[in-house]
Amino acid sequence: MKLSSALETLAIDPHAPIDIARVALLVARDAYSQMNPRVYLRRIDRLADQLRPRLRGSLAARTAELSTFLFEECGFAGNTENYYDPRNSYLNKVLDRQVGLPISLSALAMAVGTRAGLNVVGVGLPGHFIAKVVDGNEEVLFDPFNGGQFLDIEACELLVSGVTGRPFEATPDALAATPPGAIVARMLQNLKTAYLADRSYTRAARVTRRLTQLVPGDATQHRDLGVLLVRAEQPGRAIDPLRAYLRAEPQAEDARDVELFLTQALTEIARWN
């Protein structure tokens, strides 16, 4: 599977059944071109093989085994010391370094747990990503970033309000499984934010280009791609996305600013000729 094909599939159907771990590793290969996703998928398979015989009893007991195995015995943990390190978002580096963001650790729990026989899904809360194990009408919420601790409704509300500073009601819809397309979009957006904070415009543009493949109807991603390419001194590649944004949003408040970026890109190209 190529990343472009996976993103196109999710663009058509965000709920398409797709292996999040595989897609996450394909995203990582954009940054680590020599990395072989199959090697890391085999590592995930081995973790699942170790976990599988231990999954007995109630859903809570099986979920506890998953959390104990990954976050106590294997030592995976949330990176609280350097939260915005881009490596926290790349699944290969999460496996290598054993630290990550809420969403990458949730993706790991989903991959290992599902391969071991559990139905583990991601839950994209505002400001924080968690996971849950589902069996029929029963489900157990847990927080991979914080040691896999179990969460009830009140704990979810306190968690989100503590992160965002806003009240949050943990309705059934708010705690529903996040579709694969939205999970991948959130992973890419985290990387984009991290690279922007570091003014790594070329890397941010690379990730934003993937976002334009995943959400082609989001004109702001095309705008951001064009602006980032100008800042990365790649004006030739900036022209098409900037024009795409202006065609889609001719009355946007920032249209004049975008036109200036387009003019800058065209001027730079003219100097080459």
Side-chain angles (χ1 to χ4, degrees):
M1 177 193 300
K2 293 184 178 181
L3 180 56
S4 294
S5 298
L7 297 178
E8 289 169 6
T9 296
L10 292 171
I12 295 169
D13 179 10
H15 295 268
I18 202 162
D19 185 355
I20 289 295
R22 187 180 298 274
V23 177
L25 288 167
L26 292 174
V27 169
R29 193 164 59 182
D30 271 356
Y32 302 95
S33 59
Q34 302 305 309
M35 185 269 293
N36 185 348
R38 291 188 183 91
V39 172
Y40 287 90
L41 289 170
R42 285 196 290 268
R43 287 175 61 176
I44 292 171
D45 288 340
R46 288 195 293 271
L47 290 172
D49 289 342
Q50 295 175 56
L51 173 64
R52 191 176 298 110
R54 300 167 50 168
L55 297 177
R56 302 186 182 92
S58 67
L59 187 64
R62 285 176 279 154
T63 305
E65 283 293 338
L66 171 63
S67 290
T68 298
F69 175 66
L70 286 179
F71 308 117
E72 293 184 23
E73 297 173 16
C74 294
F76 291 99
N79 191 343
T80 57
E81 294 183 2
N82 197 358
Y83 188 89
Y84 295 101
D85 186 331
R87 292 175 295 179
N88 294 331
S89 293
Y90 289 120
L91 188 55
N92 61 320
K93 289 301 179 182
V94 172
L95 285 160
D96 288 341
R97 302 168 69 237
Q98 296 185 294
V99 293
L101 291 181
I103 192 168
S104 56
L105 291 169
S106 294
L108 176 65
M110 292 164 62
V112 173
T114 299
R115 284 165 170 77
L118 296 171
N119 180 21
V120 189
V121 297
V123 179
L125 299 177
H128 195 82
F129 205 95
I130 62 172
K132 67 179 178 180
V133 182
V134 181
D135 187 359
N137 293 325
E138 188 179 4
E139 59 185 39
V140 177
L141 294 149
F142 65 104
D143 185 357
F145 188 78
N146 290 301
Q149 68 182 31
F150 283 14
L151 300 167
D152 58 16
I153 299 298
E154 182 180 3
C156 288
E157 293 176 343
L158 290 173
L159 175 63
V160 172
S161 62
V163 172
T164 65
R166 300 175 183 174
F168 170 70
E169 183 180 359
T171 63
D173 284 346
L175 298 177
T178 301
I183 294 176
V184 176
R186 192 157 169 168
M187 288 178 170
L188 291 169
Q189 189 61 49
N190 285 342
L191 280 166
K192 179 181 175 182
T193 299
Y195 285 135
L196 283 172
D198 197 37
R199 296 186 179 182
S200 298
Y201 298 128
T202 299
R203 294 183 176 91
R206 184 192 69 227
V207 174
T208 306
R209 185 176 297 280
R210 293 304 191 182
L211 280 164
T212 65
Q213 293 177 310
L214 180 59
V215 283
D218 185 348
T220 61
Q221 297 296 347
H222 294 275
R223 176 201 64 195
D224 291 354
L225 175 59
V227 171
L228 286 166
L229 288 168
V230 170
R231 289 178 171 169
E233 299 181 353
Q234 299 179 47
R237 300 174 65 192
I239 293 170
D240 285 347
L242 291 173
R243 283 176 169 165
Y245 176 72
L246 292 170
R247 284 195 302 269
E249 300 288 343
Q251 304 302 319
E253 292 183 0
D254 63 352
R256 178 56 183 159
D257 294 331
V258 175
E259 287 172 356
L260 292 175
F261 275 105
L262 178 58
T263 299
Q264 180 181 343
L266 292 168
T267 301
E268 291 295 325
I269 294 298
R271 289 175 181 168
W272 299 349
N273 297 324

